[in-house]
């Protein structure tokens, strides 16, 4: 988590900025994972969800998908590597 990497004084400086948000790639990943999981089926081609699934399958095939990304996907009923 980004907050753990920054000294407390730097965290405070960032949070003092009115428009600052701590949203990171993990937050975005979780949001897209929820969308894909809720579909209940393989996404239709040429959609954002389809591209997301394709990307993760390619990373998995190349041995580049981390366990924290791979494990939540596997219980999804329609998911196939």
């Amino acid at each position: 988590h980004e907050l753990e990497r920054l000294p407390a004084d730097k965290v405070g400086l960032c949070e003092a900025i009115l428009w600052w948000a701590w949203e990171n790639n993990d937050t975005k990943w979780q949001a897209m994972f929820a969308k894909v999981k809720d579909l209940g089926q393989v996404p239709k081609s040429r959609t954002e969800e389809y591209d997301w699934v394709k990307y993760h399958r390619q990373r998995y095939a190349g041995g580049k998908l981390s366990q924290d990304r791979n494990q939540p996907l596997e219980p999804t009923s329609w998911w196939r590597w």
Side-chain angles (χ1 to χ4, degrees):
H1 190 278
E2 292 302 316
L3 294 176
E4 296 166 358
R5 294 183 196 170
L6 290 175
D9 62 321
K10 302 288 186 202
V11 170
L13 288 171
C14 291
E15 291 178 344
I17 300 169
L18 292 177
W19 51 264
W20 187 264
W22 286 108
E23 183 174 297
N24 58 28
N25 286 339
D26 190 55
T27 304
K28 293 175 186 175
W29 189 91
Q30 292 292 339
M32 183 57 82
F33 170 67
K35 278 178 73 173
V36 165
K37 187 176 179 182
D38 288 345
L39 289 174
Q41 63 185 10
V42 178
K44 295 181 180 175
S45 62
R46 297 188 210 142
T47 64
E48 179 182 34
E49 294 84 1
Y50 177 84
D51 290 343
W52 190 88
V53 167
K54 182 179 173 183
Y55 170 81
H56 284 79
R57 286 178 173 162
Q58 289 172 340
R59 301 239 343 136
Y60 179 84
K64 296 180 181 178
L65 188 64
S66 65
Q67 282 290 97
D68 66 320
R69 296 293 193 234
N70 149 347
Q71 286 179 336
L73 296 169
E74 290 180 348
T76 304
S77 63
W78 54 265
W79 188 270
R80 302 290 179 270
W81 291 113

